[in-house]
Amino acid sequence: MTPRVSAAAAVLAATALLGLAPQAAAAPGGPVPQPPAATAENTAAAARAAAAPDTLATLSRFFAREGKVSPAAAQPRIEGEAIPVNHLSPEFVAGRAGAAVARLEFFASEAVSSDGQRAALWTARTEAGWEVVNIATGDDEFRYARLGAQRLPGGTVFREPQIDAWYVAGGGRVLPLDKDAVRAVGAGGTSLAAYRVRVVKAYGDKLPGSAYAEGGMAGGYAEGGAEADAAPVAVAAAAHAGAGAEGAPVPWVAGAGALVLGVLGVAAVRRSRRAGAPA
């Protein structure tokens, strides 16, 4: 397992280091719901935010944080289009009629530095408009989007963040895209109905508004076998995506606002990234 650094592009504590805009801090009215669909208009707005000059300047500092390249030499660029990133839907877990298995959480744009480092820019709609709310090392979002399109063309690629598992769903089936998903549903996948039974059992009593959530448990992730390095890194963190053991108490995190904007200003952490190859 290798660590995946996750930096909140809106954390006020990082303003001096990364040159981040303070107006991107958590909205006083709470998290802003994300659009229900990745329309051309929303995709274009997310892409513009990712490619903005201020964003590129922040990326230069992000890529230079460990001295691998200087800020002036980083010369970050955005590759490809912004893609929608979907997470397991709480409405699906709650059994709401007609609810899709996943919902849009944010858009991701792939950034590359001159020395080959890669990062994912998470862009979400805030009260101030479309903004980059997180920067994370690596290319998980793009790699699994490609793999999902290969395994099930036209399917919906989504992540179950509570166990850091990636799937693709379509035609009444849910297929695994990584080892965590294989452990959850088997190498051959499962039916959508069976998958619902599993996630209801795991998370049905931990949804927003539940006693579990109101008891203050739904703010982070329990670590099941994954070691989280909580030592400060050169950037402020946005979120910690851990891996709860199957059946263990796992908090529910819903919405890009809750995942990223809702925890601004916390101490830096490392977000675990699993090193295993896709299934």
Side-chain angles (χ1 to χ4, degrees):
M1 181 178 301
T2 57
R4 189 181 192 195
V5 177
S6 181
V11 178
L12 296 180
T15 300
L17 177 64
L18 297 180
L20 306 178
Q23 65 268 22
V32 175
Q34 298 310 294
T39 64
E41 180 182 4
N42 292 329
T43 302
R48 285 194 298 271
D54 286 349
T55 301
L56 297 179
T58 295
L59 276 168
S60 293
R61 294 173 175 84
F62 179 83
F63 286 132
R65 70 194 181 281
E66 294 179 350
K68 295 178 180 179
V69 65
S70 70
Q75 298 180 337
R77 65 185 186 277
I78 305 300
E79 285 194 350
E81 300 180 350
I83 64 169
V85 178
N86 305 294
H87 282 184
L88 173 64
S89 167
E91 289 79 15
F92 179 82
V93 176
R96 184 172 300 175
V101 66
R103 72 178 188 186
L104 178 65
E105 289 294 299
F106 52 86
F107 286 86
S109 296
E110 189 166 19
V112 184
S113 71
S114 61
D115 65 339
Q117 294 182 72
R118 292 183 178 271
L121 296 172
W122 295 7
T123 307
R125 187 172 63 185
T126 73
E127 284 193 349
W130 285 93
E131 297 182 298
V132 173
V133 295
N134 190 54
I135 304 173
T137 55
D139 62 352
D140 286 9
E141 293 81 3
F142 317 102
R143 186 157 44 90
Y144 290 119
R146 292 190 293 267
L147 183 59
Q150 293 170 5
R151 293 205 64 183
L152 190 59
T156 298
V157 175
F158 72 98
R159 179 172 177 255
E160 185 182 330
Q162 293 80 3
I163 60 170
D164 194 22
W166 288 86
Y167 310 85
V168 60
R173 298 287 298 173
V174 177
L175 304 180
L177 297 179
D178 68 358
K179 291 183 177 180
D180 297 292
V182 169
R183 281 193 288 268
V185 301
T190 188
S191 69
L192 188 64
Y195 180 72
R196 188 197 293 269
V197 170
R198 192 190 74 80
V199 295
V200 167
K201 180 180 179 181
Y203 315 123
D205 61 346
K206 302 173 182 67
L207 292 167
S210 66
Y212 184 84
E214 291 179 355
M217 299 295 291
Y221 284 95
E223 290 292 332
E227 292 184 3
D229 180 0
V233 293
V235 290
H240 183 78
E246 188 72 20
V250 179
W252 185 269
V253 175
L259 178 65
V260 179
L261 297 179
V263 291
L264 294 179
V266 299
V269 297
R270 291 183 182 269
R271 192 175 66 174
S272 297
R273 178 186 174 192
R274 298 183 182 275

